[in-house]
Amino acid sequence: MIINHHVTEDTLHVKVSQELDVTNRAAAALQIEALVHTHRPRRVTVVLPTRDPSPMTFSALARVHRMCQSFGIPLTATGPDGKTQLSPFGDSTRATRPERLEHGARHDH
């Protein structure tokens, strides 16, 4: 089994047991999405098998992150210890607005 899960109070906890590859990343993302639809948690935590996810694992996590964002559900990713919070999508606590470009022209050339 690629993922394991359990629900405590209002949190869906998902553990990805191994790095994902091209043959199982979509299946893992779909399983997590189905769990979110079924349990309707207030938050989701995903424990990754390594602190530095492979591109395929990151791809699945990004897909789940987008889906959670669309529902307004915060997603937290942690390393294998389950305690060290990872921020693969950048620091979401201080999101900045993109700089406005004058007339669509780039200023860095």
Side-chain angles (χ1 to χ4, degrees):
M1 183 167 268
I2 299 170
I3 66 166
N4 297 308
H5 79 282
H6 68 279
V7 179
T8 57
E9 296 178 20
D10 59 354
T11 303
L12 171 64
H13 301 275
V14 177
K15 182 176 181 179
V16 180
S17 60
Q18 64 189 34
E19 284 293 336
L20 301 176
D21 57 32
V22 73
T23 63
N24 58 14
R25 71 176 170 168
L30 284 172
Q31 287 176 1
I32 297 169
E33 288 176 6
L35 291 168
V36 170
H37 284 289
T38 301
H39 296 289
R40 300 287 184 189
R42 288 182 149 295
R43 67 188 60 239
V44 175
T45 61
V46 178
V47 178
L48 300 173
T50 64
R51 291 189 40 75
D52 187 25
S54 70
M56 297 301 166
T57 300
F58 182 77
S59 172
L61 184 63
R63 180 174 168 173
V64 171
H65 182 254
R66 285 190 302 272
M67 187 261 317
C68 285
Q69 275 187 321
S70 72
F71 288 130
I73 300 171
L75 179 131
T76 303
T78 65
D81 62 2
K83 297 175 187 172
T84 308
Q85 186 170 338
L86 305 177
S87 187
F89 305 106
D91 186 3
S92 60
T93 59
R94 55 178 197 96
T96 58
R97 295 179 66 169
E99 275 188 47
R100 184 181 174 127
L101 298 177
E102 295 178 25
H103 309 292
R106 292 178 54 189
H107 293 280
D108 63 348
H109 60 274

